[in-house]
Amino acid sequence: MCFATFLSVYNKWMFSEKYYNFQFPLFVTSMHMLVQFTFAGLTLAVLPKFKPKKRPSAKNYLYKVCPCAAATSLDIGLSNLSLKTITLSFYTMCKSSTLAFVLIFAFLFKLEQPRLKLIAIIVIITAGVVLMVSDETDFVVVGFAEVMAGAVLGGLRWSLTEILLRKESLGLSNPCASIFYLAPVQGIILIVISGFVEGYFNIFQSAFFLTFKEGLHTMLVMLFGGVLAFLMIMSEFFLIKRTSVLTLSVCGIFKEVATITVSAIVFGDKLTVVNIMGLCVTLFGIALYNWMKFHERRPEQIELGQEVDAGYEEPRRTQMYSQVAESTPMLLVDNEYHDEEDSESDIELEANRHTAAAH
C-alpha cells in the first residue's frame, strides 16, 4: 500500500504543472522500464531461486508476450499522461473502473462465461464511475479520455495475461522473470511513442537538461519512480505468496481510499458528496466481485481429497490482478517457486494428501 500510494503521489507531483512540471510522462515511464529491467536482471543473477525453469521460445515471445507487453505499456503510458491535466483523486476513481473492462474482455475472449452476477458487477462499477464523473469539479476532457483509455487497455492487458499463461508456463511465474521479459518491449514501445508525441528535442532542450547538474538531478528523480514501481511489484508478489489474491484485492481497495485521502491532504483535491458516493459504489462492485470469486473457490478447496483420489497433479495457478497501472502481469505457480518455508509447507501438504487418499 505504501509503495503503490507513494508511486501515485510521485507521478502526480512529477507531471503536474503546479509541482515539478516535467511534461514528458511517456519518456519517464520508459526510463522506469529500464530501471525495472535492470533490477530484475540483477535479482535473477544474485538469487538463483528466482530463475524460472522455462523460458518463452522466440515464437511465443513474439505472439504471446509482446502483445501483452504492448497493452501494458500503453496502459501505463496513458495513465501517467492523464496526470498532467486531472487530479490524482479523480484519476484514482476512474482507474477503479478497470475491473469492469477486465470482465468485458474476459467475455469477448471467452475466458469467463457471461453470467448475470458478473454483468451486474459491471453495471454497478459503471454506475459508480458515472456518479464520480458527473460531479467532478476539475473535469478535463482530454485527461478523462486518457485515463479511461488506460482503464480499457488495463482490462485488455489482464485478459491477454490470462491467455498468455493459462495453458502453459512460459517462465513468467515470478515478478523478476515477468519484468525481465516484458520490460524491454514496454520500454521500446514507450520510447518510440515518446519521440513522436513528446519529441526528443523538446525533452533534452528543456530546462531540466540545460546543464549536466540539472540533467543528473532530473535522471535521479526519474529513476526513483522506477525503484518505487519495482519495490511495489515485489511486495505484491510476496504478499500474495504468503496470503492470497483476496488479500491483495482487499488491500487494493484500501489503497484506493488511502490514495484519495493523501491526494486531498497533499494536493488539496476537492471531493463532493456525489464523488464519494460514486467511489463507494465502484468499490462495492469490486468487493462484490472478490467475495463472489472467494466463494467460488471454496468448494474446490473442500473437495481436495476427491481431486487426489482422481490423480490430480496439476499445479495450483493463481491469476494476479492489480488495479495499479505499473503492476507487472504474472502467474503464480506454486510448484515452480520455492523458498525454505514453502518447501516445509509442501511436505506437510503432501503428507495430508496421502492421508486423505488412504482414508
Side-chain angles (χ1 to χ4, degrees), residues 1-8 36 50 72 75-76 157-158 173-176 178-179 227-253 255-256 259 318-332 337:
M1 284 179 63
C2 289
F3 287 133
T5 303
F6 287 152
L7 182 61
S8 298
Q36 293 181 50
F50 278 103
T72 303
D75 172 21
I76 299 171
R157 72 185 267 207
W158 291 109
S173 58
N174 69 67
C176 291
S178 298
I179 294 170
V227 173
L228 277 178
F230 181 79
L231 293 174
M232 177 193 70
I233 293 165
M234 293 300 293
S235 63
E236 284 179 342
F237 171 73
F238 285 112
L239 169 68
I240 200 172
K241 194 68 185 175
R242 297 290 178 264
T243 56
S244 67
V245 177
L246 183 65
T247 304
L248 179 68
S249 301
V250 172
C251 288
I253 293 173
K255 179 262 171 190
E256 304 295 289
T259 301
T318 305
Q319 170 77 39
M320 182 175 135
Y321 163 71
S322 174
Q323 292 164 221
V324 183
E326 298 204 31
S327 289
T328 292
M330 71 185 80
L331 187 76
L332 303 183
Y337 168 79

Side-chain angles (χ1 to χ4, degrees), residues 38-69:
T38 303
F39 273 82
L42 290 173
T43 304
L44 291 173
V46 174
L47 300 174
K49 68 180 180 179
F50 278 103
K51 287 185 178 180
K53 296 178 181 178
K54 298 180 181 180
R55 63 179 63 185
S57 63
K59 182 178 179 181
N60 283 332
Y61 191 82
L62 181 62
Y63 291 105
K64 294 183 179 180
V65 176
C66 287
C68 182

